[in-house]
Every structure is written in structure tokens, then in C-alpha cells.
Amino acid sequence: MSAKADTRSKIKRYIEDQPEPKRSDMQELHRMVQRVKPKARLWFLDGKDSKGKAVSNPNIGYGLRTIEYADGKTKEFYQVGLSANKTGISVYILGIRDKGYLARTYGKKLGKATVSGYCIKFRKLQDIDTDTLEAAIRLGLDASD
């Protein structure tokens, strides 16, 4: 199995393993991101460190950006991420330099969501304005083009 097919398989399994209504919401978000940028690179991070210890929730990632660290080293990573958590869903919009931009631009328009410097959290997709969320996702995927 190719790495691309394996990633797609892991994403499918991760979404299918979610309880309803989170499963349907994650499927819709996955389709939304792929509509915005159909050829975006797909990522799946299982949330475990190199020793197999869980350190975060699993994440589905989309796109490609290069992170540059203070010591000059670089790392490839995704631009937009999705993650199911105990209370709902998190959408990560990475690479925005102004940590207040996301909240200022999209926060009040989203509905029942919490917006931080790079994360939009909500309980259910029906609680938020999906057009506004799609605009934020588009911003994140276009950031490194």
C-alpha cells in the first residue's frame, strides 16, 4: 500500500471510529476541506510520540507548510488540521502570524465557537456558520501558496 493510500485509510478509519453526530460532522468537514483545495497533501497524526505514548488527540492535516525554528532547522507540517476531542471538534488554522487575526476576523461570525490564535473549537457543526468556517479554512490553505 502506498503512503498516500495508507494515509487515506487511516483518515477514513479515524472518522468512522467517532460516535455520532461527531462522525457525520467530521465527514462533512473532511469533504469541505477537500472541496476548498482538492489536491492538498493529506496527513494523519495518531497523537503518539516516538515511544508510542499518547501526547495529543489524533489529527487530520491538509496542505503543506514549512516551519522554521529559531535554530534554523525546518520541518514540514500541515496548514489546516481537524481533530475530534471529548467536547467536540477543533479546526486548526496554522501559519497565521497575527495571533489575534482569526478571532477578530471570524470569531463573532462563527456562532457557538471558541477561537484562539490558531484554533476554532465547537461542539457540533450545526452550532456554527459553515460558510464562515470555510472562509477561515480557505485562508489557512492559501497562506503558503
Side-chain angles (χ1 to χ4, degrees):
M1 181 181 292
S2 73
K4 194 173 187 179
D6 187 46
T7 298
R8 287 185 187 284
S9 172
K10 288 176 182 176
I11 290 169
K12 185 176 189 278
R13 195 170 330 118
Y14 173 61
I15 292 172
E16 288 174 350
D17 285 348
Q18 301 304 315
E20 285 295 351
K22 199 177 294 183
R23 177 184 317 124
S24 294
D25 287 352
M26 290 290 287
Q27 286 172 330
E28 178 54 35
L29 286 166
H30 182 59
R31 283 192 292 267
M32 177 191 292
V33 178
Q34 292 192 303
R35 274 193 314 270
V36 169
K37 195 161 192 176
K39 295 184 184 211
R41 178 174 168 181
L42 291 175
W43 300 70
F44 184 76
L45 283 68
D46 64 6
K48 296 178 181 168
D49 66 12
S50 59
K51 296 177 184 171
K53 180 182 175 193
V55 293
S56 71
N57 290 321
N59 283 262
I60 302 169
Y62 307 86
L64 175 65
R65 62 189 290 264
T66 302
I67 300 169
E68 186 168 343
Y69 296 99
D71 65 3
K73 292 182 182 175
T74 60
K75 174 184 175 181
E76 289 185 340
F77 205 62
Y78 57 78
Q79 294 164 278
V80 170
L82 302 178
S83 181
N85 55 58
K86 287 182 183 179
T87 60
I89 297 171
S90 295
V91 177
Y92 303 102
I93 310 293
L94 305 177
I96 301 172
R97 295 194 194 283
D98 176 352
K99 296 301 175 198
Y101 181 83
L102 202 60
R104 272 194 322 274
T105 307
Y106 303 104
K108 290 181 181 173
K109 299 175 195 172
L110 276 165
K112 292 182 184 178
T114 303
V115 184
S116 69
Y118 64 91
C119 181
I120 299 169
K121 286 174 67 169
F122 51 92
R123 289 183 66 78
K124 296 177 287 198
L125 204 49
Q126 73 182 32
D127 290 344
I128 63 164
D129 183 285
T130 55
D131 290 338
T132 301
L133 180 62
E134 185 172 323
I137 288 168
R138 188 173 304 281
L139 168 82
L141 289 171
D142 289 345
S144 296
D145 284 348

